[in-house]
Amino acid sequence: MAAPADTASSAYAQRYVPRRTHECDAVRLVEKHLEGFVQALGEEGRSLPGFVLEELQGLVRCGDPRHGFLRVACSRCGDEHRVPFSCKGRGFCPSCLGRRMSETSLLWLDHVLPEVPYRQWVLSFEGRLGVRLGYDGKLLDRLCETVAKRLMQSLRRRVKKRHGLSTMKGLCPGVIVVVQRFRSDMGLYVHLHILATDGAYLEDEGRVRFLEVGAPDDREMGKLCKRLHKDLAPFIEDGDDALDVDEAVAACVQLSLAGPGPVAMETSKPELPAHCVTGYGMRLHAATAVDGRDRKRLGRLVKYMMRPPFAQESVTELSDGRVRLVMKKPNRQGATSVVMSPERFLSKLVALVPPPRQHQVRYYGVFAGRHRLRKKIVPRTVEPGVAVQMPLFADVAGLRAFGEGEDEPWEKRPARIGWAKLLARVFAVDVTKCRRCGGRMKVVEAVTDVDRISELLQGARPPPVPSPVGQLRLFE
């Protein structure tokens, strides 16, 4: 229980500190119904896990200056900005996942994906497997590893056949697997988006060249599905449809999937699109190909793979209290939106939160961090305005000069892009530059105390500090 002074300060800030100016209906819905939703679960003897509750509460705090912000000021003219904190959610926050989408696209284009052809493979499943994979971490790990292994084997086999090689030894394709947990109506449905090189690298006498293979045929894709089913069938059959997860989360998953669900996959070949096969309880699609030299189109494909479950403007609260979700494209019945209760909407959000320590992006082949060819094929992008220091002498202490053979210096690749650089590259907004005089903006203070927040945002005086307990009065 909080102390009286903390309670008074919190109540004071709730009353006087203004909210964020831009707020989507999804945030208002969560803020309005979360307390009653948690209370209803508690009456049934259930409680949400900490990582789920923290994600829901983080969505409400994301971008809200009442919960803290950074003060940035110009070192020349003193012009000041206030930047609220973000929640850094992994499940459904459209703002944070939108930033991660743009950040991943830029990182891959600059430091991971070379200028070679790529193909997107999409693997989805029938029945309850798509739901079970949401919480069966071991099965999901095995699935991603098996899919990447079999796909790289297929690419090597096809490269050998097309280019007339005598062996597959030395052929190295690259695969990136992205786990998506949602379908068009925000229901829990785990499927894999896979970005693979449309061919393989071959190292010959110290030189690396790329051998393109082109689009697969339906026969080869059918063989790939058969091999995947053979590898995964023992592990899938050993399990059951019961979710190995908290009872409250299982109840939310059941409620979120209630009502009309995905249409069963059609097995009629004439109705299937090009480069798409079904069988063994799975559907494999590989029609999207991109030339790696077209960086803009490749970036759009990466953003599509990393997109959030919903956009801010797609969720609206109706006059009767229900929630309308506008889908990105019509489903197979032709519906363009779905209307649901607030409880079901919150249940869908609960189901979208991935369990802790469950990776949603995985790298295989030449894109793996420790692959021997990775240093030779990834782009070597130099930041604008950054000078590259060249060594003055060669073969000093047994080291070769830059550019001789395979011992070129390897700079560490960045794990993230700074928020300021990301805004400048995606939206052409340079927040580090003063809008008045063009000076440099610097962080002045990280404001997290509730009284300090109230003072800065509203210019109000903090509440009086109560007298210490047991203090003697001087006058009666």
Side-chain angles (χ1 to χ4, degrees):
M1 182 176 179
D6 297 336
T7 304
S9 300
S10 301
Y12 182 84
Q14 292 286 338
R15 180 179 179 183
Y16 290 103
V17 176
R19 294 300 308 274
R20 47 179 166 245
T21 56
H22 296 87
E23 184 179 271
C24 63
D25 282 2
V27 176
R28 286 192 289 266
L29 286 166
V30 174
E31 184 177 17
K32 180 179 178 180
H33 298 283
L34 179 58
E35 184 177 355
F37 184 74
V38 174
Q39 185 177 358
L41 289 174
E43 293 175 355
E44 298 178 359
R46 300 169 179 171
S47 60
L48 292 175
F51 71 93
V52 175
L53 190 59
E54 182 179 354
E55 191 97 2
L56 291 169
Q57 294 173 345
L59 178 65
V60 177
R61 296 192 301 264
C62 187
D64 189 346
R66 296 185 305 171
H67 298 280
F69 54 88
L70 289 178
R71 289 179 56 209
V72 293
C74 177
S75 57
R76 183 185 302 174
C77 68
D79 186 33
E80 184 174 311
H81 296 287
R82 296 175 177 87
V83 183
F85 296 134
S86 59
C87 67
K88 301 180 178 63
R90 302 172 60 224
F92 46 76
C93 178
S95 176
C96 294
L97 292 183
R99 171 192 170 173
R100 188 171 299 171
M101 173 186 67
S102 300
E103 185 181 43
T104 302
S105 174
L106 294 177
L107 280 174
W108 287 5
L109 292 178
D110 290 351
H111 305 289
V112 178
L113 301 178
E115 296 182 353
V116 298
Y118 295 93
R119 185 170 298 274
Q120 180 190 214
W121 300 68
V122 182
L123 180 63
S124 53
F125 309 94
E126 291 180 339
R128 298 282 297 177
L129 182 58
V131 179
R132 176 185 167 189
L133 287 170
Y135 299 99
D136 194 338
K138 293 183 178 180
L139 180 59
L140 181 61
D141 294 343
R142 186 174 294 275
L143 170 65
C144 294
E145 184 177 354
T146 303
V147 169
K149 175 183 176 181
R150 289 301 184 184
L151 180 56
M152 289 190 293
Q153 287 179 352
S154 176
L155 289 172
R156 286 194 290 263
R157 189 180 300 108
R158 291 165 51 208
V159 169
K160 173 190 172 185
K161 181 179 179 181
R162 177 170 180 175
H163 293 272
L165 303 179
S166 59
T167 178
M168 296 190 301
K169 186 177 180 180
L171 293 176
C172 303
V175 171
I176 302 178
V177 179
V178 178
V179 181
Q180 283 194 2
R181 296 177 59 88
F182 55 89
R183 60 192 190 196
S184 58
D185 65 344
M186 285 177 53
L188 176 61
Y189 182 60
V190 176
H191 56 288
L192 305 182
H193 284 249
I194 307 164
L195 185 66
T197 55
D198 213 3
Y201 285 94
L202 177 63
E203 186 178 20
D204 185 14
E205 297 181 356
R207 299 181 60 186
V208 180
R209 58 193 177 104
F210 185 81
L211 304 179
E212 188 177 352
V213 71
D217 55 18
D218 292 347
R219 182 171 174 269
E220 182 66 26
M221 295 176 66
K223 287 184 178 180
L224 181 58
C225 290
K226 184 178 180 180
R227 296 188 187 102
L228 290 176
H229 173 75
K230 183 178 179 181
D231 293 340
L232 298 173
F235 305 97
I236 296 176
E237 295 173 356
D238 290 344
D240 52 15
D241 291 339
L243 297 179
D244 185 16
V245 71
D246 188 86
E247 292 184 1
V249 176
C252 291
V253 171
Q254 184 178 4
L255 178 59
S256 67
L257 298 176
V263 179
M265 298 179 186
E266 300 289 343
T267 57
S268 177
K269 291 186 177 180
E271 298 181 4
L272 292 176
H275 306 298
C276 181
V277 297
T278 60
Y280 305 99
M282 61 186 69
R283 180 188 184 106
L284 186 62
H285 184 271
T288 305
V290 178
D291 189 343
R293 294 171 295 183
D294 189 350
R295 308 304 279 181
K296 290 185 178 180
R297 189 181 175 194
L298 181 60
R300 289 195 298 267
L301 178 59
V302 174
K303 289 182 179 179
Y304 173 77
M305 297 171 60
M306 298 293 299
R307 69 191 189 277
F310 63 93
Q312 293 186 1
E313 63 274 7
S314 63
V315 177
T316 55
E317 183 178 9
L318 303 178
S319 58
D320 58 358
R322 294 184 300 170
V323 184
R324 170 177 290 171
L325 172 68
V326 178
M327 294 183 286
K328 185 176 181 180
K329 61 181 180 179
N331 60 11
R332 297 186 182 181
Q333 292 87 4
T336 59
S337 63
V338 58
V339 179
M340 67 192 82
S341 64
E343 292 76 16
R344 188 178 178 189
F345 175 72
L346 287 174
S347 298
K348 288 180 178 291
L349 295 183
V350 169
L352 292 178
V353 182
R357 296 175 296 278
Q358 188 182 97
H359 299 289
Q360 305 301 296
V361 181
R362 303 153 192 255
Y363 302 85
Y364 302 93
V366 293
F367 298 142
R370 296 183 178 273
H371 196 277
R372 57 186 175 84
L373 296 184
R374 178 181 170 91
K375 299 180 181 180
K376 299 182 179 182
I377 60 102
V378 297
R380 294 182 177 274
T381 303
V382 179
E383 292 290 340
V386 178
V388 179
Q389 177 68 38
M390 304 294 290
L392 297 178
F393 304 98
D395 199 16
V396 178
L399 298 178
R400 297 181 182 178
F402 179 82
E404 294 188 5
E406 59 182 11
D407 293 334
E408 298 179 356
W410 173 251
E411 66 275 16
K412 185 178 180 181
R413 303 299 176 180
R416 301 194 67 179
I417 294 179
W419 181 235
K421 292 183 179 179
L422 190 64
L423 287 177
R425 295 188 60 180
V426 177
F427 301 105
V429 177
D430 190 358
V431 296
T432 64
K433 187 177 180 180
C434 179
R435 58 187 176 183
R436 291 184 178 179
C437 66
R440 184 73 176 175
M441 304 292 290
K442 295 184 178 180
V443 177
V444 177
E445 180 184 5
V447 184
T448 57
D449 181 70
V450 64
D451 295 335
R452 180 64 173 162
I453 294 172
S454 304
E455 179 183 355
L456 290 176
L457 292 183
Q458 193 66 18
R461 186 175 57 187
V465 178
S467 302
V469 180
Q471 181 175 353
L472 299 178
R473 296 184 179 181
L474 297 179
F475 306 97
E476 293 295 336

